[in-house]
Amino acid sequence: MIQDSENSELATRIADFKSDPEKLREASEFVEQLIQQAKKEAEIKHKEKERNKFESQESGSNNVKRRLGRARGFVLRMFDALCNCTQTAAAAARTHARNNPFTKR
């Protein structure tokens, strides 16, 4: 009995809503705004996913080798700058790094 009264009340409220063109227009505008906002958010997420995809490709093995080489060069330059008296040791370290058969160029 209670469900029948609730169903009939809901049906009358739906009929009232459908008969009022102003309410229908407002509802359709609201739905359009939601759709536009969802499209914008989907585009932003898609762009972020594409950006992350390209960033992951850039961090390959070549990039790691390049970073290690730069780090080695930086450390050697710092060693040279800080320890002027050890020029021969720094030169030996550079020569050893160049002649190392296990490093690929």
Side-chain angles (χ1 to χ4, degrees), residues 5-22:
S5 65
E6 288 177 0
N7 287 341
S8 64
E9 183 181 332
L10 181 63
T12 56
R13 289 178 75 189
I14 291 173
D16 290 341
F17 183 80
K18 286 182 178 180
S19 65
D20 189 2
E22 183 67 26

Side-chain angles (χ1 to χ4, degrees), residues 17-29:
F17 183 80
K18 286 182 178 180
S19 65
D20 189 2
E22 183 67 26
K23 288 181 181 177
L24 281 176
R25 186 182 60 77
E26 288 177 8
S28 63
E29 287 177 2

Side-chain angles (χ1 to χ4, degrees), residues 4-105:
D4 291 337
S5 65
E6 288 177 0
N7 287 341
S8 64
E9 183 181 332
L10 181 63
T12 56
R13 289 178 75 189
I14 291 173
D16 290 341
F17 183 80
K18 286 182 178 180
S19 65
D20 189 2
E22 183 67 26
K23 288 181 181 177
L24 281 176
R25 186 182 60 77
E26 288 177 8
S28 63
E29 287 177 2
F30 177 72
V31 170
E32 286 294 323
Q33 288 175 353
L34 284 178
I35 291 172
Q36 293 299 324
Q37 185 177 1
K39 284 181 181 179
K40 288 178 184 177
E41 290 177 4
E43 289 175 1
I44 290 171
K45 286 183 180 180
H46 181 69
K47 287 179 183 178
E48 288 178 2
K49 187 181 281 187
E50 290 293 321
R51 189 178 311 129
N52 290 337
K53 182 176 148 184
F54 289 123
E55 287 175 0
S56 66
Q57 288 178 354
E58 290 175 357
S59 63
S61 63
N62 290 337
N63 197 16
V64 172
K65 289 178 185 177
R66 189 177 331 133
R67 287 184 183 178
L68 288 175
R70 286 181 178 177
R72 182 185 302 120
F74 176 76
V75 169
L76 290 175
R77 284 193 307 275
M78 291 301 294
F79 187 75
D80 284 343
L82 294 175
C83 304
N84 287 332
C85 61
T86 58
Q87 291 294 327
T88 56
R94 272 194 228 108
T95 306
H96 179 67
R98 277 191 224 125
N99 295 334
N100 189 351
F102 299 105
T103 59
K104 294 183 180 178
R105 294 180 209 187

